Amino acid sequence: MARKRKEITDILVEMGALKPANAEKAQTESRKLNRQVEQVLVETNMVSEEDVTKAMAIQYDMEYIDLNKNFLQASDFRLLPADVIKRHQVLPLGEENGKLRIVIADPNDLETLEALRFRLNKPLETCLAVKSEIKRHIDRMFAAEQKSIDDLVRQMSLDRGQSIDMAMQKSKEGDEAPIIRLVTAIVTEACKSRASDIHIEPMKDRVRVRYRVDGVCAERDNLNKKMQNSVIARLKIMSGMDIAERRLPQDGRIKMAIDGANIDFRVSSLPAYHGESVVLRILRPDNVKIGIQRMGFEEEDYQRFKKIISRPNGIFLVTGPTGSGKTTTLYGALAELNTADRKIITAEDPVEYNFAGINQCQVRENIGLSFAKILRSMLRQAPNIILVGEIRDREVAEVAVQAALTGHLVFSTLHTNDAPSAITRLIDMGIKPFLVASSIQAVLAQRLIRTLCDQCKQADPEPDRRLLQLLGFTDQELAGKTLYKPGGCPTCNNSGFRGRLGIFEMMMMTTEIREMAFNRASSTQIRKTARAAGMKTLLDDARIKVISGVTTAREVARVTQAEGIMADI
C-alpha cells in the first residue's frame, strides 16, 4: 500500500516556516479558491517561495537545488532543445548513469513530465528549484537571442559612412547586408511577440522602434539616428513605395513568410518633422476567422447578433474607435452568411483580408473610385448583402440607406463612442430622420480589453474597492466572487495579459426608439430608452468579464474611460 504523503502545511510547520494558525487558514482559502495550497501560501506572503519549494522537495522525496549556489554550465543547455526549455520552464543539469537530470518547479505537473519523457525519449531524474530562479536562469542564458536586434545594431557598419546602396547589397561572404538583417529581425520579432503594429518613429537624436501588443504600445529599441534613412528606405523598397519621394504620405504592402505562415503587412509612411514615420500593420488572416462565438459575446447578445444578421434587409452598424475590432466583427458576420445562395459585395479602403466567395472592391480615391461610386455600381450587381467599410459622409450614408430600403442587408461602421450616438450622427450628416428610423436594424458599439494570462493570473485577495465602486460594482455582485490580478510569465512576456476580447453594447431598434429617431431625440434620451428596453452598456458587459475572471477592473477602467474614472484613480 502506497504511503500517504504528508501535507505540505505540516512540513512547513515542522520547518518553523509557518504558524499552525496560518496553516489552517491557508487550507481553508485553498478549498474556497480551488487552488493549490502552496500557491495560496506564496500569494498571501505567509511563506516564501523558497521555503515552499524546500517543503515540496521533502514531501516528494526529491533533491532541492539552490540555483543561487549551483552554477549551471552553458554546455548543459545543449542537452535540451531551446523550445523545450522555454515552453516547459525546465533546466538541464547534466547526465548521470544514462539519466538526464532536469530541474523543475512543480512536481504535481505530471502533464509536463510526461511530455518531456515522450519528447526526449530517455529516463529522467527530476530535482526541484524555485520557479522564479529557474526563469531567471533561462532568461539569462537566452539573453543573446532576446537581444538579437541590439547585436545587429551594434554590428552595423553604416556609422562609418556606408551608403544606402552598399547597405542593401550582399556582402562578399554571401550573407545579407546588416540593414536587411536588422529590418527582417525587427519584423520577425514583432510577429512572434503577437504585435499588431510596428512603429518606426524618427526623433531628434534617435529612431524609436515600438510594438503594439494587445492594444498597448511598448518601446522595443532606439536606433542610431544615422540608420534612419537606411531602415526607412529598406521598408519602402519592400513595400513597393517610391524611395525618392519623402515629401508626401505613401501606402504599400509587404508579404513575408514567418515561421511557415504567410503574413501581410500594410505599410504607411508619413512625413514628419524629424523624418518619415513608418507604421506596419500586421495582418493575420486567422485573426478575423476566429468565429463570432469566440469574440467575447455573452449568450444573450450572441443570440441577438445572430438574429439581426439573418434579416433580409436593413442596416447593421458597428461603431467604435480605430483598433476596436470592428472589421473582425463584420468579417465574422460575413463568414456566417457566406453561402452559395447569397451574393456578397464589399467596398473597403483598403481591402485588408481576402475571403473566398466574397466580391471585394478596393476604394481608389486617386482615380475617382470612391465608396459612393462603388456602392451605386454594386447595386446593379444584384447582391443580397453589402458591406461598406465606413460611412464617412452624407453621400455614402444616403446610398447605404437606399440600399437597405430596397431589400439589401447592409453592414457598415461608424466612428461614435456608443451605440445611441450613431442615430444622431447619421441625422447630423444630413440623412432625414424618417429614413434613419426605418432603415437601421441595430447598432453595435464595441471595444477590446486585454484578457488575463491563464498561465499566471492570480487571485486578488485585496482588490481596489474604490475602483470597483467607481465602476459601479455592488457588494451584492461581488459577494462570494474571486477577482483576479495579472501575474507575469514567459507565455505573456511578463505582462500578465495575453490576447483580447470584445466588450459590446447592442442596441436593437424598437418601435419606441424609431419614434425617438424620427423626432430627433438626443442620444442621451435614446440611450435611456434603450437601457430600459434591456440594452447592456459597454461597462455592464465589461463588469461581467471582471467577475468571471477574464480581465481586471483596472483594465476595464483604462478601456472604457467611463465617467472620467481614470482621472480619479
Side-chain angles (χ1 to χ4, degrees):
M1 185 175 176
R3 181 172 58 89
K4 186 179 178 181
R5 297 187 192 279
K6 187 180 283 189
E7 291 288 341
I8 193 166
T9 47
D10 294 338
I11 297 172
L12 286 164
V13 169
E14 290 175 5
M15 289 169 56
L18 181 67
K19 296 178 181 177
N22 284 342
E24 188 175 338
K25 182 180 177 182
Q27 291 283 9
T28 304
E29 195 73 9
S30 171
R31 289 190 291 270
K32 180 181 175 182
L33 299 176
N34 194 26
R35 296 182 66 128
Q36 293 180 345
V37 68
E38 50 265 30
Q39 289 179 296
V40 173
L41 288 166
V42 174
E43 289 170 6
T44 54
N45 295 317
M46 293 184 190
V47 183
S48 69
E49 188 180 11
E50 183 180 358
D51 283 337
V52 166
T53 307
K54 287 178 179 177
M56 288 170 66
I58 295 171
Q59 185 184 30
Y60 286 88
D61 195 22
M62 297 172 67
E63 182 184 356
Y64 171 76
I65 303 292
D66 186 346
L67 292 176
N68 288 316
K69 298 178 181 177
N70 285 266
F71 180 75
L72 272 68
Q73 299 288 339
S75 58
D76 288 340
F77 273 71
R78 302 192 192 104
L79 297 172
L80 285 179
D83 66 304
V84 170
I85 294 174
K86 293 178 186 176
R87 184 184 305 124
H88 299 295
Q89 292 290 287
V90 296
L91 290 171
L93 203 62
E95 283 187 289
E96 284 185 11
N97 302 320
K99 289 185 177 181
L100 175 62
R101 299 185 73 214
I102 60 170
V103 182
I104 62 172
D106 184 4
N108 293 306
D109 191 357
L110 301 178
E111 187 177 339
T112 292
L113 292 173
E114 284 303 314
L116 287 170
R117 289 190 180 96
F118 178 79
R119 173 79 184 268
L120 302 173
N121 193 25
K122 62 171 63 176
L124 302 178
E125 182 183 326
T126 53
C127 310
L128 275 187
V130 177
K131 186 176 181 179
S132 59
E133 287 299 317
I134 292 176
K135 181 185 179 305
R136 185 175 64 82
H137 271 69
I138 292 173
D139 289 345
R140 191 192 70 206
M141 292 303 295
F142 290 103
E145 179 182 308
Q146 296 295 323
K147 295 178 181 177
S148 59
I149 292 178
D150 306 278
D151 293 339
L152 282 166
V153 170
R154 284 194 292 271
Q155 292 168 16
M156 296 290 285
S157 55
L158 294 175
D159 288 358
R160 296 196 293 270
Q162 188 181 44
S163 69
I164 292 175
D165 290 338
M166 289 173 66
M168 297 297 179
Q169 64 187 343
K170 302 250 180 177
S171 66
K172 291 180 181 179
E173 291 79 12
D175 294 329
E176 289 182 327
I179 194 68
I180 296 176
R181 288 189 281 120
L182 173 62
V183 171
T184 301
I186 290 172
V187 171
T188 302
E189 184 186 66
C191 291
K192 290 181 177 180
S193 301
R194 301 181 299 105
S196 59
D197 303 271
I198 305 170
H199 298 260
I200 312 294
E201 302 165 317
M203 302 290 167
K204 181 180 179 181
D205 57 351
R206 60 194 169 99
V207 179
R208 183 169 65 177
V209 178
R210 294 196 291 174
Y211 300 155
R212 188 184 296 277
V213 181
D214 292 334
V216 178
C217 269
E219 189 170 298
R220 171 58 183 89
D221 210 339
N222 287 294
L223 307 181
N224 192 297
K225 186 70 174 175
K226 294 179 181 179
M227 299 178 190
Q228 176 178 313
N229 290 340
S230 302
V231 169
I232 292 172
R234 173 61 184 165
L235 288 169
K236 290 172 78 172
I237 288 171
M238 291 171 70
S239 57
M241 297 183 191
D242 182 356
I243 192 173
E245 180 56 76
R246 300 183 181 181
R247 302 164 300 167
L248 298 173
Q250 295 187 69
D251 294 306
R253 292 186 84 112
I254 298 172
K255 284 182 180 289
M256 281 183 69
I258 296 175
D259 286 347
N262 291 320
I263 297 178
D264 283 359
F265 301 84
R266 196 177 79 207
V267 188
S268 170
S269 73
L270 178 69
Y273 187 75
H274 294 296
E276 290 177 282
S277 173
V278 178
V279 176
L280 288 80
R281 169 66 63 87
I282 303 172
L283 306 175
R284 298 178 176 89
D286 290 342
N287 285 4
V288 291
K289 296 178 182 178
I290 60 174
I292 295 173
Q293 280 184 297
R294 293 174 59 194
M295 292 178 187
F297 281 107
E298 298 301 322
E299 184 59 30
E300 185 181 355
D301 282 340
Y302 173 60
Q303 295 302 328
R304 287 180 176 179
F305 186 90
K306 289 208 307 183
K307 183 179 177 181
I308 286 296
I309 66 174
S310 62
R311 293 184 179 180
N313 62 282
I315 297 177
F316 178 55
L317 286 175
V318 181
T319 75
T322 301
S324 59
K326 300 188 297 295
T327 300
T328 302
T329 300
L330 289 177
Y331 276 142
L334 291 186
E336 289 266 322
L337 300 170
N338 186 18
T339 56
D341 61 333
R342 294 190 180 102
K343 177 156 185 170
I344 303 174
I345 305 180
T346 72
E348 303 171 63
D349 183 22
V351 174
E352 294 188 352
Y353 303 97
N354 293 312
F355 285 84
I358 296 178
N359 302 276
Q360 296 173 270
C361 303
Q362 168 81 51
V363 171
R364 299 184 187 278
E365 296 284 359
N366 59 327
I367 60 171
L369 188 60
S370 62
F371 272 118
K373 183 167 283 189
I374 292 175
L375 265 172
R376 290 193 178 92
S377 298
M378 69 168 59
L379 290 176
R380 294 193 287 272
Q381 298 272 316
N384 301 105
I385 299 165
I386 294 168
L387 183 144
V388 185
E390 182 185 344
I391 294 179
R392 295 178 177 174
D393 52 40
R394 176 178 176 176
E395 187 180 13
V396 176
E398 284 179 341
V399 180
V401 167
Q402 290 302 321
L405 294 175
T406 53
H408 303 88
L409 181 60
V410 180
F411 294 97
S412 192
T413 68
L414 204 60
H415 288 285
T416 61
N417 288 328
D418 58 14
S421 299
I423 304 298
T424 54
R425 174 65 60 84
L426 288 173
I427 294 172
D428 290 343
M429 280 184 180
I431 306 302
K432 294 176 181 177
F434 76 90
L435 291 176
V436 173
S438 56
S439 62
I440 303 294
Q441 295 289 353
V443 183
L444 177 72
Q446 69 178 66
R447 300 289 189 278
L448 292 175
I449 55 171
R450 293 183 296 169
T451 55
L452 287 164
C453 174
D454 289 332
Q455 302 296 318
C456 64
K457 71 177 183 180
Q458 305 168 358
D460 191 352
E462 296 181 0
D464 189 333
R465 291 288 170 182
R466 181 165 168 267
L467 176 58
L468 293 172
Q469 288 173 357
L470 287 168
L471 287 171
F473 284 100
T474 63
D475 291 338
Q476 186 177 359
E477 279 181 304
L478 298 172
K481 304 292 184 183
T482 301
L483 303 186
Y484 290 87
K485 61 182 179 180
C489 68
T491 303
C492 60
N493 290 327
N494 294 311
S495 68
F497 295 91
R498 184 176 176 85
R500 290 189 289 175
L501 277 181
I503 54 174
F504 302 96
E505 180 176 281
M506 173 85 75
M507 186 182 78
M508 308 279 284
M509 291 294 284
T510 63
T511 302
E512 191 174 359
I513 293 175
R514 292 187 195 279
E515 288 179 1
M516 295 182 77
F518 181 77
N519 293 317
R520 295 177 180 267
S522 69
S523 59
T524 304
Q525 292 172 311
I526 295 173
R527 183 178 188 81
K528 185 177 179 180
T529 302
R531 293 205 67 181
M535 180 188 81
K536 286 202 303 284
T537 66
L538 288 167
L539 196 53
D540 292 336
D541 196 32
R543 281 201 294 263
I544 294 172
K545 290 174 171 61
V546 172
I547 289 174
S548 60
V550 172
T551 190
T552 67
R554 188 165 293 275
E555 174 67 9
V556 168
R558 181 185 71 84
V559 173
T560 60
Q561 296 283 310
E563 307 297 336
I565 286 171
M566 289 304 284
D568 295 331
I569 60 174

